[in-house]
Amino acid sequence: MRLGVLDVGSNTIHLQVVDTHYGARPIPTFNYKEELRLTQYLLPNNHISPDGINALDSSIKRCLAQANTAGTEELLPFATSALREASNGKEIIDFVNKQNEIDLQVLSGEEEAKLTFLAARRWFGWSAGRLLMIDIGGGSLEFAVGIDESPEISISLPLGAGRLTQNFLEGDPFTTKSIRNLRDHIENQLEAVLSPMVHHEAADRAIGTSKTLRTLARLCGDFFNTNSKIIEIDALRKVVGKLSDMNLEERAKLPGVSNNRATQIVAGAFVAESVMRNLDIEKVEICPWALREGLILRFMDWSEK
């Protein structure tokens, strides 16, 4: 089956097409994405503006045209924190679905965490033991811990790199005051979940699944000649300091850092450092599969029931 996943995220609209069947590893055949950054269209009343709705609808139309060109047989469209938390999110979903004759569904933060955990479990296999999964998206941060394919605990917090950059960071380079406010906010948010996380966090491996964490792993490797698929806490602390001192143009010149990622990588680095420090994690291994792969795997599992 040629299956398409349409991911309406906080930063990008991403179409991924794979060839797969029950029990098979999904083989990527086509990718298409557009940077939209829906959170930039948020109004003071937490509505996404009419311009944002029109931009979203146009982007989805282009993605659907690409999906059709790629020969997609089945499409799984989903949205995450930007539409989940917008006060007019339901109206936007209804509008987009009617305009494009699709069934765009909003995932809860807990569903995001569970599906991403499933992808990590399938990638590393049962021999990996008990996993702690961490995903830093544009709008939210997800944790999940467990030994099976369904985690024992799954948590979502509004600590996405794009959201934090927009709400806290100022200046270029970012000001010391805005960075301090950002760090205080991250610590306060994490404090609310540390108790249940610490109870469950004893794991054989800590796994990172997001583009933010993949980028940080590469930067740690390039700066300090470490494994570019692993984030070590000592290297990350040094990277955080380097990134904080750079302006946007300097960050955008770093290997593997796009202009969009350069804007929010500082906030993402502070989130990653806080999580690792608070949970006493020495290293995080990078998993190439994440939420989209988890959704594909779950769909194929269900299709055989």
Side-chain angles (χ1 to χ4, degrees):
M1 171 185 288
R2 180 152 290 186
L3 184 63
V5 178
L6 181 60
D7 178 356
V8 180
S10 299
N11 289 325
T12 60
I13 314 299
H14 192 155
L15 170 70
Q16 181 174 329
V17 179
V18 302
D19 284 338
T20 188
H21 59 268
Y22 178 71
R25 171 178 172 170
I27 305 299
T29 61
F30 180 78
N31 271 284
Y32 175 80
K33 67 178 179 179
E34 296 188 2
E35 291 186 0
L36 185 58
R37 303 178 75 176
L38 274 175
T39 52
Q40 290 192 340
Y41 293 97
L42 273 179
L43 301 175
N45 61 358
N46 205 37
H47 270 51
I48 291 177
S49 70
D51 285 345
I53 297 171
N54 290 333
L56 172 62
D57 183 55
S58 297
S59 182
I60 287 176
K61 281 180 166 57
R62 289 189 290 272
C63 285
L64 293 178
Q66 293 289 333
N68 184 59
T69 300
T72 304
E73 300 170 61
E74 184 86 30
L75 184 70
L76 306 177
F78 70 92
T80 53
S81 62
L83 289 179
R84 182 168 68 230
E85 296 170 16
S87 52
N88 60 339
K90 183 180 184 305
E91 291 83 354
I92 295 173
I93 293 292
D94 291 342
F95 170 77
V96 166
N97 283 340
K98 183 177 180 181
Q99 289 291 311
N100 297 285
E101 298 182 342
I102 59 175
D103 186 23
L104 181 64
Q105 298 286 326
V106 178
L107 296 179
S108 69
E110 184 177 1
E111 288 171 329
E112 281 193 60
K114 288 180 176 179
L115 288 168
T116 307
F117 183 87
L118 171 64
R121 167 57 70 196
R122 293 278 179 93
W123 180 267
F124 284 98
W126 294 110
S127 62
R130 186 178 177 82
L131 299 183
L132 165 62
M133 184 281 300
I134 306 164
D135 186 283
I136 304 171
S140 60
L141 161 71
E142 276 76 43
F143 299 105
V145 184
I147 197 165
D148 298 318
E149 291 198 336
S150 295
E152 297 160 20
I153 183 171
S154 51
I155 294 173
S156 179
L157 293 173
L159 291 177
R163 178 201 299 271
L164 294 176
T165 301
Q166 182 171 336
N167 292 346
F168 288 93
L169 293 179
E170 301 173 350
D172 186 28
F174 297 127
T175 65
T176 300
K177 181 180 179 180
S178 69
I179 288 176
R180 183 170 61 249
N181 291 338
L182 168 68
R183 298 193 72 172
D184 289 345
H185 177 75
I186 294 170
E187 294 294 319
N188 290 336
Q189 288 283 312
L190 287 177
E191 186 178 0
V193 301
L194 281 181
S195 179
M197 282 302 299
V198 168
H199 179 70
H200 286 271
E201 59 96 10
D204 297 297
R205 300 170 88 161
I207 305 301
T209 59
S210 63
K211 182 62 180 296
T212 292
L213 290 170
R214 290 199 300 271
T215 301
L216 289 172
R218 178 171 180 179
L219 291 176
C220 286
D222 287 344
F223 285 157
F224 305 110
N225 197 30
T226 59
N227 187 331
S228 62
K229 294 183 179 179
I230 293 176
I231 300 175
E232 297 181 0
I233 184 63
D234 290 340
L236 178 60
R237 288 189 178 116
K238 295 174 184 176
V239 166
V240 169
K242 286 179 175 289
L243 292 174
S244 300
D245 291 338
M246 293 179 179
N247 61 31
L248 179 61
E249 182 180 359
E250 290 169 333
R251 294 194 301 273
K253 292 179 180 178
L254 295 173
V257 180
S258 65
N259 287 333
N260 181 51
R261 193 67 53 187
T263 302
Q264 61 187 46
I265 192 62
V266 174
F270 276 117
V271 173
E273 191 276 334
S274 293
V275 169
M276 292 182 71
R277 172 169 41 81
N278 279 290
L279 293 178
D280 293 324
I281 299 170
E282 291 296 321
K283 69 176 182 178
V284 170
E285 299 178 64
I286 302 302
C287 177
W289 281 3
L291 177 57
R292 288 186 292 273
E293 287 79 11
L295 189 65
I296 291 167
L297 294 167
R298 179 61 72 223
F299 176 81
M300 296 309 298
D301 289 347
W302 286 344
S303 69
E304 291 299 310
K305 291 183 179 179

